[in-house]
Amino acid sequence: MAPKHHPTPMSGGDRKALAKELGRSRAMTTILAGQAAEARAKGEALIRQADKLLCEAFNERLWSDGGPIDPSPAIDQALNGGYPWLEIECSRCQTRREVDLAALRHPPTTFVHDLASRLRCSKCAKAGRRPAATLLQLAARPRST
């Protein structure tokens, strides 16, 4: 954006006053931009912490109640909270596996509990069956097997 044009006053005192006010304005712009960036960083850190707590609460409710829990965090909230993996279990053959939430072809606003009906066991699919998956937990990293 082009700088705003300020007509130069004719007298020397007015020119000096205008230059002084423009300098103050530019300094205030820098200060306010710095404060805005600082506030945004604090806000993003708070949102990240809130997403992490939401994922931990979901895991606890999932463990204590069992089954898909509504409401659950969205995929983008789980990723932002540091839980990019979803552990699932086939309801038929009891095979466990981890799903990378970042690699899923679902909108990032899809809730995790909605994925239970969409994820299928690949082992059972080869046998011609398509049982739904059971959600176990959100995880920060995949289990080492």
Side-chain angles (χ1 to χ4, degrees), residues 72-76 105-115 118:
S72 65
I75 292 174
D76 58 348
R105 291 186 181 186
H106 293 284
T109 55
T110 303
F111 291 106
V112 172
H113 75 273
D114 289 338
L115 296 175
R118 299 177 188 176

Side-chain angles (χ1 to χ4, degrees), residues 59-109:
N59 280 343
E60 290 298 322
R61 282 184 294 141
L62 194 62
W63 180 82
S64 63
D65 299 339
I69 306 294
D70 182 19
S72 65
I75 292 174
D76 58 348
Q77 290 174 322
L79 293 173
N80 189 39
Y83 288 88
W85 295 93
L86 176 64
E87 292 184 16
I88 61 171
E89 181 179 69
C90 176
S91 58
R92 180 178 171 271
C93 67
Q94 311 307 321
T95 302
R96 291 183 177 208
R97 72 180 180 115
E98 292 83 25
V99 178
D100 184 6
L101 293 175
L104 290 178
R105 291 186 181 186
H106 293 284
T109 55

Side-chain angles (χ1 to χ4, degrees), residues 10-71:
M10 298 305 285
S11 69
D14 289 343
R15 278 195 308 268
K16 289 178 186 176
L18 176 64
K20 186 177 180 181
E21 288 301 317
L22 288 175
R24 283 185 186 162
S25 175
R26 290 183 183 118
M28 186 54 89
T29 301
T30 305
I31 291 169
L32 292 175
Q35 289 175 350
E38 184 180 321
R40 182 173 304 280
K42 285 180 184 177
E44 289 172 355
L46 288 173
I47 290 172
R48 193 173 309 111
Q49 182 182 7
D51 289 342
K52 180 180 179 185
L53 293 173
L54 181 64
C55 292
E56 290 173 0
F58 174 73
N59 280 343
E60 290 298 322
R61 282 184 294 141
L62 194 62
W63 180 82
S64 63
D65 299 339
I69 306 294
D70 182 19

